[in-house]
Amino acid sequence: MWIRQTVFCASIIIFAVMLQLTLLSRLGLPGATPDLVVVCVVALALAYGPVTGAVVGFAAGLTLGFTPPAGGVIGIQALVFLVIGFLTGAVIDPRDRTVPILVGMVGLSTGAAALAYALILAAFGSNQVSWEEVPTLVLTSSLYGLLLAPIVVPTISWLVRRITPETEI
Amino acid sequence: MLNQRTRIILALLVIIALTFTILDLRGGKGPFSSVRSVVSSALGGVQVAASVIVSPIIGVGSWWGTWGDQRVRIAELESQNATLQDSLVRSAEDRARADALDQLLRVAGVGRYRIVPAEVIAVEPAQDFTWTVTIDAGRDDGLLANMTVINGQGLIGRILSTTKTTATVVLIVDTSSAVGARVAGTEEIGILSGTGRQDSLEFQTLDPLATLKPGQALVTFGSRSGRPYAPGIPIGEVVDVSGTAGQLTRIATIRPFADVSTLTVVGVVIRPPRADPRDSVLPTPPASSNFAPDETSTAGGIDDGASPAPTPSKKPEKETAAKPVPAPAASAGATADGGSN
């Protein structure tokens, strides 16, 4: 079972990374790039729980870091996505999976990911962060997260039920 | 709920992530450059394919403005559809691409740069605070690190790294970018650095007494053997000057000619011109009354490198000085009508 789960998670992550870098970041939308990878990490963490969520987040962060154009710092996204995956799996009780809570969770995560990346980058002493843009990036990132969530989360949980039916959702 | 095994896994992953971060931030080539190039080679092909599929919907962000009036848009599309059927094979996309290529060829032809054209296939997300893009030409096309990248409007950036079929370009607006630039029509040179914002660059002249005013254009000064920057490429124009003549540093804000947020066709300068094209590549060479007339010579100028510096008698120029300066003679003239052009 876990082989199928691993292959499934890996394909989702690679698909999301490719879509984010080749399409979403080139649409020229105002503000941040829609963070499809975070949304997918959250959706997978909701389906498989905190530990898988953390591992998937870590792997997704590294994939995003190593995929060209690879301008970001490797490791920061892995750390941020790891925490997001773990917290999502741990915080949301399977019993209160109502739509507003799930969508809100995704919006919170995408905003937090943008903010956390800036904070960690600055904490390591980098001067790349332009702080006057951070509020805009965080707000637009959560907004795009809120818009992506109603499409991505149900799709992934449907796929989870189809591909790994033994998972208890 | 957290058992022993879970805790170990989490701690291990956190430690790995932090280690990677610290290693990667140490700068230089770092231990990850080889991993990056392997991943680049593996995923570059996929990115090229994905880019072909998604290319018709790039730039969808600019449609936002017309959502208000759907009917106009529909009518527009219907008429456009008819026009397209009439005008046979050439689709709108092809034409835009041909225009971009035409402009690129104009720049390359006038400046005598030998270029390799390429298309942007991936862009770094905005929240990473780095401005890098991937293009679909690489070592096989003769590209090397530190080559200049231009488009039909002007300078875009330089090649950071290459794989066999792709290359990563760091754009001039990235905070790590610094370009030696010259004010067109003068001999003033300085350092142009990226600010991380797509529409502004910071220009600092080497001569603290230099007079700059809005509207003046900047071209690259050129590096030794044309790498990383070939000479004479238009960069942008001065929009604002802060600090006054005589202060230790004068910083001008520059708006780049090229819109780096919507790049499609770019050109990589694989061989710089034998002679510095000076200002001839600029779309409108500096024809302002402040400068010597022979600076206006345009296309085809192979080596007007010997054009004289502007005559000193015309020096007392309009200053955009914010506060009155006591001493320096150059700016003692009118402070009133600065910024009029």
Side-chain angles (χ1 to χ4, degrees), chain A residues 57-142:
Chain A
F58 176 79
L62 279 192
T63 312
L64 197 58
F66 277 120
T67 308
V73 177
I74 287 170
I76 296 188
Q77 275 152 335
L79 186 63
V80 173
F81 293 1
L82 187 163
V83 173
I84 286 177
F86 179 76
L87 288 184
T88 311
V91 166
I92 298 284
D93 192 289
R95 276 163 302 182
D96 51 42
R97 282 167 189 274
T98 56
V99 174
I101 288 183
L102 295 186
V103 172
M105 189 70 203
V106 172
L108 204 64
S109 303
T110 47
L115 183 62
Y117 186 86
L119 287 177
I120 295 176
L121 197 58
F124 275 106
S126 168
N127 54 2
Q128 283 181 356
V129 182
S130 45
W131 288 106
E132 65 266 38
E133 286 190 34
V134 168
T136 326
L137 289 178
V138 171
L139 277 180
T140 47
S141 188
S142 351

Side-chain angles (χ1 to χ4, degrees), chain A residues 25 27 33 68 71 74 132-133, chain B residues 24 47 61 120 123-124 127 197:
Chain A
S25 62
L27 288 179
T33 300
I74 287 170
E132 65 266 38
E133 286 190 34
Chain B
D24 198 34
Q47 280 187 332
V120 173
V123 178
E124 186 71 16
Q127 51 265 60
R197 287 193 303 276

Side-chain angles (χ1 to χ4, degrees), chain B:
Chain B
M1 153 192 136
L2 280 182
N3 60 28
Q4 185 79 20
R5 191 167 145 269
T6 312
R7 262 183 256 166
I8 291 174
I9 292 176
L10 289 178
L12 206 63
L13 293 184
V14 168
I15 290 169
I16 294 174
L18 284 174
T19 316
F20 277 20
T21 310
I22 292 164
L23 284 177
D24 198 34
L25 276 170
R26 270 174 56 207
K29 278 187 76 76
F32 293 121
S33 57
S34 55
V35 184
R36 272 191 168 130
S37 95
V38 168
V39 177
S40 292
S41 305
L43 293 180
V46 185
Q47 280 187 332
V48 172
S51 180
V52 170
I53 298 166
V54 303
S55 59
I57 38 176
I58 299 306
V60 78
S62 57
W63 295 354
W64 289 100
T66 57
W67 279 13
D69 205 340
Q70 299 263 354
R71 281 169 165 234
V72 175
R73 179 92 186 127
I74 290 169
E76 209 176 273
L77 281 174
E78 274 169 353
S79 73
Q80 195 184 11
N81 204 3
T83 329
L84 282 175
Q85 278 171 346
D86 287 347
S87 67
L88 242 70
V89 276
R90 273 180 43 153
S91 71
E93 191 200 348
D94 283 345
R95 204 171 311 149
R97 192 161 296 177
D99 285 349
L101 261 174
D102 274 352
Q103 288 174 354
L104 182 64
L105 287 176
R106 189 198 71 82
V107 168
V110 173
R112 306 239 161 171
Y113 307 109
R114 176 166 291 186
I115 60 163
V116 168
E119 270 193 79
V120 173
I121 52 172
V123 178
E124 186 71 16
Q127 51 265 60
D128 287 353
F129 301 106
T130 56
W131 287 88
T132 49
V133 299
T134 311
I135 58 174
D136 66 352
R139 275 198 299 276
D140 286 355
D141 307 285
L143 270 56
L144 299 169
N146 276 337
M147 280 180 168
T148 318
V149 184
I150 61 176
N151 77 353
Q153 275 71 49
L155 184 67
I156 297 295
R158 64 180 171 86
I159 305 263
L160 188 65
S161 59
T162 55
T163 68
K164 274 177 79 68
T165 54
T166 66
T168 300
V169 179
V170 55
L171 305 180
I172 48 171
V173 296
D174 188 80
T175 45
S176 69
S177 161
V179 187
R182 182 171 60 78
V183 181
T186 74
E187 296 296 327
E188 298 296 352
I189 57 169
I191 306 290
L192 186 70
S193 7
T195 59
R197 287 193 303 276
Q198 65 181 59
D199 54 353
S200 76
L201 302 162
E202 267 183 15
F203 180 61
Q204 193 172 343
T205 53
L206 292 185
D207 176 10
L209 292 174
T211 50
L212 288 173
K213 60 190 177 60
Q216 280 184 315
L218 260 62
V219 298
T220 52
F221 181 63
S223 322
R224 187 182 164 82
S225 76
R227 284 167 66 190
Y229 295 108
I233 300 165
I235 305 173
E237 60 176 8
V238 180
V239 288
D240 187 31
V241 183
S242 59
T244 52
Q247 270 187 347
L248 212 49
T249 54
R250 308 200 63 206
I251 305 232
T253 308
I254 310 294
R255 185 170 52 76
F257 287 132
D259 180 4
V260 295
S261 63
T262 54
L263 291 173
T264 50
V265 177
V266 300
V268 181
V269 179
I270 57 168
R271 204 170 69 198
R274 272 192 294 277
D276 184 352
R278 301 291 297 178
D279 304 331
S280 59
V281 190
L282 287 169
T284 50
S288 146
S289 61
N290 288 330
F291 305 115
D294 62 340
E295 289 288 338
T296 58
S297 64
T298 49
I302 301 169
D303 53 351
D304 53 350
S307 57
T311 46
S313 62
K314 307 203 170 158
K315 261 281 154 77
E317 285 168 350
K318 297 140 195 155
E319 260 302 320
T320 47
K323 41 197 168 179
V325 206
S331 68
T335 55
D337 52 353
S340 58
N341 42 3

